[in-house]
Every structure is written in structure tokens, then in C-alpha cells.
Amino acid sequence: MLRQILSQLPRDGGEKLSWTNQEGKAVAASCEDVCRRQLSTAGFVLRDPKGSQWTLAEFSKEWLGKYDPEALAAHLHGSVKFFGELLLHVEGRTSQSDLLAVANNAYGLPWNSLDQIRRRTGWLRSLGMIELWNTQVVRTNAGTALLEKLDLCSPEVARGESGGIQHQVDINQDLIQYLSDSPKLDQEALRGRRPLIGYIPRGTKSAARESEDSTLTPSAAVRNLIALLDGPTSADSFRNSCAENLGITNSSFQSTLHALRHMGLIEQISFNVFAPTSDAELITGVGNEQILVAYLHARYAFFCEILLLLDLPSTTSTLTSAAKERFGYSQASNAEIRLRLGFLQDAGLVERVDWQRFRTTPTGKAFADSLIMQNEASEPLDAVDLHGLPKEASSESLVDDIAEELQRFGNAGTESEEFEKSVAKAFRFLGFHAEHLGGSGRTDVLAVAQLAPGDTYRVIVDAKSSGNGVVPEARVAFDALREHRQKHKADYVVVVGPDFATRSKNWAIENRVIMMQIDDLVSTLMRHAVSPIPLSDMRDILSRPDALRDEMVERYSTAERQTLLVSKVLDLAFQEAVDDDPIASGYISVENIIYALRKEFSPRPSADAVRECLEFLSNPLVAALEESKGRYKLADSPQNVAFRLAGIGKSMSSVSHPA
């Protein structure tokens, strides 16, 4: 079967491969699925770096030219775990259960069924290296001859108990000074760290990328982003640089900007203008990867605590479970843990033992001793309310959690129900009463904007995940969507997925269906967390399936501008108050406020927009400003104003969502 498949390459990933199986039955499958999920992991095929074609690796070309069972067995041994080692442990008559016990106990492989053993013995039987006598596995003379030529992995090395890459401690001397100058962390601060780092583009979509090896490490990716932001730079210029150098889309750019701002490495210095923070160059500089790790440890949950759990090699999944069960990090995911491990590897604090497992290096152990770590939690956190959303999470930590789920399940292709639930959470976050339905004949999510009679509207949402990043035409059934719309008496129809085939997008406009990419939904959630727009505006956006993205950007940009204007007006009032001018007595006129803001905004805010902000801030419920004869002065500390508004928001969050 392998010869049949390889003989059909090169082929485009979207084409079909066909072959005849051992029972003589014709089989066909996507070239992308067969090559990416099976053949590439064993080093048989490679993707063309400049296209979507799959081509033969050098070994496959040689093997097809001259069939050699021993060469193929040696290649498999060099590409996958426990292949030659399994052959070694076939002594006399051995059962497959015996081999599974050896894999588990001696080699530390976490297999809980015979599937992986049977796959390997199947290959070895087809290559003539073993035979199956009833239920017993017996090694042949050819198998014994092969063993004499293979370099085998010892159980100790396989378990990660020896054979480490690094044997000496190499601590960055500048790190000691950095830690001595940094504020000391306490347990309250460690428990209050942000849960999610967010999206850090690694250059995988860059047009200039030549091969898989050019993917940036996490530290290098952050360093490149800071370098692209060379001094004060407009958001548009930064976006264009990221698109050109890293290949990220406009919607992904918003996620990147969000992550960098919360990372504390860039700051907004005026309207739509950003610059690196004063310490960004030091923290992200080449050779300062350990300083970057120490910095991130102070900001993000379960960071250097990883070093404490890797005395023995562990997998990402094991670390994720420990983060939740032992440290109360309920939002932990494999993706977030992998990103942390990437930073730790860059700094030489963690090394990869094999494809799945990592362990702490001697440097990592010395590094961990220099930091204050979070104590383990006495019990897991229970932080979910009746609507499936965290009880005490801030809007920004909540949106990070939802965004991670959307990306993880939406791009998996095998977690359709989990993706549907994540989409329902996203629409709840936008203010809808969203119910996950699913099942035959029903829409995946029904979202209702619960407003006054005559203003209420309903949206049906179809969630389409895809493992290869594009939802094919055949999976978007417009006739079924039309039936769901009628059944649920919906006003609008939305389909959410990673991306869609071009013809599907064209047909969607004709059928008044909105095709929303996951990246666009994530970007919307992140902007909504800071400057939400009302459901009435959302209805106007949903009415434009032909220009959804443009409408979203316009509405949220307006909301963000209003939010920033309120902040700047309050800041001016604060500066005037602390200026201690005995003549003005802390008051500032509307005209002077408009004049002072002229360089902060482009275009300049209108007089009406400034007056609306002043009326809001001087309202007794907000009590930020005090008005006298058309002039305004500070009436309370900005911190108290923030607490007051947060308290109002918290009390509103308890308003029920009737079914």
C-alpha cells in the first residue's frame, strides 16, 4: 500500500489518492490527510515550501527504485519510537501484550491499548522480520540480522533518565541584576497573574518563509515584533509591517496587538500610535532570553512553576493537568503550556527529551532557585456559572479563554461539538442570549438579542471546524441554513469557521448569509472586551453580509475612540488639578480641553463629542468631574472613578438572562 501511495506523488494536497488495501478493496483519501497526518511523521514525504504539493523525500525515491525490506525497517526505526526496540524484545514466543508491558514499564510510553504495538508488528511482519504464530510473535532470521545493524535506544534514555543535552549551568549574569531591581513577588501577586499570553505570530504565513525551519521561536517572534515597532508608529504602519514580514492578517493583527500590550512590551502613546516600552529592548534582546522568562513569570500564571514539575520528563498534557489540579490555573490548555515551554527552551531552561516530553536542564534548576514560585493550590477552582462563563473573571481574561477555545477547536476538525459550544460562549460575550442546540435538523447556536418589543432579533449560527484551515464548499449547505432560519424564525444567519472556499463566500452573499472567520470573531471579542458596541449596532453590522469586516472595524473604531476620549478628558482634569494653579483653581474650560486634545487625535474630536464626555464624567453616578459656569474640575481620584464604574458593571453582570 505504501508503494502504491508513494508512486502517485507529487500531488497537490487537495487531490485524492487511491490504492487497493490488503482485502483487495479500493480505497481513496485526501492527499493532504494521508501525507500530513501519516507519511510526513515517518519521513516519507515533504511539503513543497512554495506551494501545496506533497513530494517524495530522498529515502522514498531510493526505496521505490529498489525495494529493500531491511532499508525500510531501518528507516522506520530512525523515524518512530519503539520499532527496533520492539524487535529486540521479541524473544522466543512473545505475546503482543508482553510487548505493550515492555513499552509501558521499560520505555515509559503512555499507551493504554495494543493499537501502537499492532501497527509496529504489522510493519515488521510485512517486512519479514517477525512472524505471528497464533497469538505469539516470533523473530525471524532476517529480524535478528537487522538488529545487529541498528543503534537501539536504551530504556534509561527513552525514559529521559540519562543522555541529557546540557550538563552545565549557564546563568545570564545580567539576570541577577534584573531580578534585584524588580519588585518582589508575593503569593497574592502570583495568584493574580494573567492566565493567557495570547497570539504571538511565528512567521509561518510569511511570504518570505522558505522552509519549515524558518519558523520563529517564541522569543525571536517577540523580538521581531518589537523591532518592527521602531519608535512611535501608527497602528496602520505596524499592521502593514506585520503583514509584510510575518504574513498575519488584519484580524490576527488585532490579537497580536492585544497580546503585546498585555505583555507590557508596547504602549499606546497617543490615539492609534504605539511604541515599545522603555524596558522592551533590554527584555527582548538577543542573549537576554532568561530575563524575558523572568519578566513573563511575573506576569503570567503557571510559567516558571513548570520548571518544578519537570525533574522527570513529562508531556504537555501532563503539565496542563497539573496546572489545573495543583495550581488552580483553570484556563490552562496545551497550546498555552506549549508556548511557555517554547520560551523556557529558548532560555536553555528546558530541553526536549523526545517528540512529546520535556525536562528541566541544570540551568533551569538553578534558575528556578532564584525565583519566587506560586504555592500549590489546596483545591481546584470552581469558577463557572450557570451560563458556562467564569464567575469572577475579568472581561479580558474571559475573552482570552474563549479565543483560545475558538482557535483550538475550530482548527481541529474533530471537536465539532466543543467548537459549537465555544461559538455560543462568544455570542454570549457579545451580549446575546446564546443557546447551544446542535443535533439533526437544528441550528448549532441560536442567539437572541433580548431588547424591547420591535427591537429584538434572532441569529442562527452554524459552526464549521476544519483541520486544514478551510471549510470546503460541500460542508456549507445553504438549503439547510434556509430551513433552519425559517424553523427558528431568525433574522440573520452566520456561519463561523477558520476560512471558507471562494465560491462559498460568493454564494453566501447571494443567500444573505454571513461567513465569519474565526480570526475576525476573535478580533471582535477582544475589541468588545474594551469598547463594546450595543446590540442595535450589531444588528446594523449583521445586515451587511457583503461588508461585514468593514462594518465591524468602523463601529468598533468609533467605540474605541469614544472610550479613549473619556480617558484623555479625565487625564487632563487630573493634570490640571495637580498643577496647583491658584488662579484657575483646578478648573478647565471646554475650549481649552479641545485645544489640548488637538494633537492626541486625528481627526480632532468635535466640540459635541467632548461635551458628551464631560456630561458623562460629571454625572452624579460617575462623579468624576464637577461643573461650574461651563468649566470643569476633578471631583475624585481617577482610581475611585474606575472602581465606581467597575462596581456598576459588576452589579449589572448579575442581571439574569431569561431563556
Side-chain angles (χ1 to χ4, degrees), residues 234-305:
S234 70
D236 289 339
S237 296
F238 189 27
R239 180 187 295 109
N240 293 337
S241 295
C242 288
E244 180 179 350
N245 291 276
L246 299 172
I248 67 174
T249 63
N250 287 346
S251 55
S252 295
F253 170 77
Q254 291 296 332
S255 303
T256 302
L257 192 65
H258 179 84
L260 288 175
R261 292 184 69 183
H262 284 298
M263 202 173 278
L265 296 175
I266 71 170
E267 59 187 348
Q268 185 168 358
I269 58 175
S270 62
F271 179 69
N272 234 22
V273 176
F274 298 87
T277 57
S278 58
D279 293 334
E281 185 175 352
L282 166 70
I283 292 169
T284 62
V286 175
N288 287 345
E289 288 80 7
Q290 291 179 7
I291 293 178
L292 177 59
V293 166
Y295 174 82
L296 295 174
H297 171 68
R299 301 182 74 88
Y300 293 101
F302 193 67
F303 208 99
C304 287
E305 288 79 8

Side-chain angles (χ1 to χ4, degrees), residues 2 55 82 84 135 163 227-228 252 316 389 419 430 456 482 560 591:
L2 177 64
T55 61
F82 199 62
T135 60
L228 291 176
S252 295
T316 303
L389 300 178
F419 183 47
L430 294 174
T456 294
R482 196 176 299 114
E560 288 163 357
E591 292 76 16

